[in-house]
Amino acid sequence: MQSYGWSINAPLPKLQEVPSTVASVSDYEPLARDRLTPQAWAYLSGGAADEITLHENCAAFRRLWLRSRVMQDLSGGDTRLELFGRTFEFPILLAPVAHQALFHPEGERATALAASAMSAGMVVSTQASLPIEDIARETTAPLWLQLYIQPDRDFTIDLVRRAEAAGYQALAVTVDAPVSGLRNREQRAGFALPPGVEAVNLRGMKQPEMYVGSPGEPVIFGGPLLAVAPTWNDLEWLVARTKLPVLVKGVMTAEDASRALKVGSAGVVVSNHGGRALDSQPATIDVLPEIVEAVDGRAPILIDGGIRRGGDVFKALALGAKATLIGRPYIHGLASAGAIGVSHVLHVLRAEFEVTMALTGCRSLADITAASIRR
């Protein structure tokens, strides 16, 4: 049997404080692995198929070089930005990650507390382990809701209304996974949600008919799932039914970015689902320039995938992103030490980002341009 490095022993207890040996967010990865079951670790760390895209997301950032600038006037510098009428203290948001109770008993509650403590934006998953209203009560940080347009369209709108009432400030509609990716690492580990962990915000939703293709029959085509998969018409329908700004999450081509704006999207998130949906896609940072060119300043562009250093955040902004989202790094912090771990991950990345700004002579986010990097 193939091994992925986890211990055969029971998961270790959660940490009560951050060890002094944790210097970068990557140091949380082995701490998290030792505190999760093999099945939960496979769910968190794995990608689709051969995991080419999963690894390429990180590798592509390493191919970009920074241009240092010396003796610049950095007095009065800051990292603030405006998004949809709200000020964010720094351009790093917590990406939506489902089922966070898998990783820590407090789940999204701990993440929300950390976001509040660090003044970081948080995007809450439709498949969160807690009601979206409970999460909103736990934080003063800006909250967005990640949304899948469900086969039950009435239920989808009801969920949007709940988000509006709870004070969520934007919707990030994930569009790149009408079917689940083939995540072989999860299959090999025998992953299934354990008792007590569920997508509570989807309770009561009318479920589509289940279909499993028999040998010799189509597996996906001809079944009921694709018949109700959302299209651009559904996105336009959603935009018309909410006053919240709607971002399209999962854009990897200029064509789709342009189409998103045509149907009323307020922004796009360049994302390949963390390498979990379609393998052999390029890294998000590699397709960012073509999407920036297509959007041409008409809407903000955000990006996720492979961000492991504050320098990666800087590189994304230099290539035209307005802000970035992180996923696995903060979940590693959550799995290791709960809210303390998530807070520390955000602190480390922000510190690295500010150091990068200072050493490249950038006093504000507006100073970060394509001239700040080499390809």
Side-chain angles (χ1 to χ4, degrees):
M1 178 179 292
Q2 187 171 1
S3 171
Y4 292 99
W6 52 61
S7 170
I8 61 173
N9 299 318
L12 297 177
K14 305 301 184 185
L15 297 168
Q16 300 304 307
E17 59 183 26
V18 176
S20 60
T21 53
V22 175
S24 72
V25 300
S26 64
D27 292 328
Y28 275 107
E29 187 168 347
L31 298 177
R33 183 181 61 224
D34 288 343
R35 286 161 178 80
L36 295 174
T37 65
Q39 293 76 22
W41 180 250
Y43 173 80
L44 172 60
S45 60
D50 295 316
E51 302 185 347
I52 297 167
T53 297
L54 172 68
H55 297 294
E56 184 65 11
N57 273 347
C58 293
F61 278 103
R62 302 188 192 109
R63 295 193 290 267
L64 296 171
W65 301 93
L66 301 172
R67 298 182 72 238
S68 62
R69 296 295 306 278
V70 300
M71 302 185 72
Q72 303 295 305
D73 181 6
L74 301 174
S75 58
D78 66 69
T79 60
R80 287 191 291 275
L81 74 153
E82 297 287 330
L83 275 175
F84 308 119
R86 178 72 184 250
T87 298
F88 290 74
E89 292 300 317
F90 52 98
I92 305 170
L93 286 72
L94 300 176
V97 177
H99 307 304
Q100 292 186 23
L102 273 173
F103 313 117
H104 192 278
E106 292 295 309
E108 289 85 0
R109 179 175 288 110
T111 300
L113 289 172
S116 184
M118 302 304 293
S119 300
M122 177 181 176
V123 188
V124 176
S125 172
T126 289
Q127 296 175 316
S129 306
L130 293 173
I132 59 174
E133 295 85 356
D134 291 3
I135 298 169
R137 284 191 287 268
E138 295 290 346
T139 185
T140 57
L143 284 182
W144 298 355
L145 177 66
Q146 176 269 338
L147 185 71
Y148 291 101
I149 298 178
Q150 302 291 338
D152 186 340
R153 301 297 195 258
D154 290 338
F155 188 95
T156 301
I157 289 299
D158 288 343
L159 186 56
V160 170
R161 297 287 176 260
R162 288 173 56 192
E164 293 170 341
Y168 286 72
Q169 297 166 18
L171 302 174
V173 180
T174 296
V175 296
D176 61 351
V179 296
S180 296
L182 298 173
R183 299 200 285 266
N184 296 151
R185 198 193 301 202
E186 285 183 29
Q187 292 174 288
R188 295 175 185 126
F191 173 77
L193 287 176
V197 178
E198 63 168 315
V200 298
N201 293 291
L202 297 181
R203 286 176 181 167
M205 184 180 70
K206 183 170 57 178
Q207 298 293 334
E209 178 186 351
M210 296 300 295
Y211 170 82
V212 179
S214 301
E217 297 179 348
V219 177
I220 298 295
F221 291 102
L225 189 58
L226 288 185
V228 294
T231 68
W232 290 110
N233 290 335
D234 293 297
L235 183 65
E236 190 171 19
W237 165 84
L238 176 65
V239 169
R241 283 162 176 76
T242 180
K243 294 181 179 179
L244 296 178
V246 175
L247 296 89
V248 178
K249 184 177 185 297
V251 172
M252 288 290 288
T253 64
E255 300 94 317
D256 284 344
S258 297
R259 185 71 180 271
L261 298 190
K262 285 181 180 178
V263 300
S265 171
V268 298
V269 182
V270 180
S271 174
N272 53 32
H273 220 95
R276 295 168 63 82
L278 175 64
D279 202 17
S280 291
Q281 290 190 87
T284 53
I285 194 68
D286 282 342
V287 303
L288 176 61
E290 75 171 73
I291 294 170
V292 169
E293 182 179 2
V295 171
D296 194 26
R298 291 175 290 163
I301 298 170
L302 288 76
I303 185 172
D304 66 18
I307 295 166
R308 299 295 184 269
R309 286 282 187 177
D312 297 337
V313 177
F314 183 94
K315 293 171 184 178
L317 269 59
L319 289 179
K322 184 79 170 177
T324 63
L325 300 96
I326 59 168
R328 289 182 179 91
Y330 86 82
I331 297 297
H332 292 155
L334 175 69
S336 301
I340 297 171
V342 178
S343 297
H344 189 238
V345 165
L346 284 166
H347 176 75
V348 167
L349 288 175
R350 182 177 182 177
E352 292 177 348
F353 178 63
E354 292 189 19
V355 168
T356 304
M357 286 182 63
L359 295 180
T360 54
C362 297
R363 181 166 49 184
S364 71
L365 301 189
D367 295 330
I368 306 173
T369 68
S372 304
I373 60 172
R374 300 181 189 275
R375 298 197 201 183

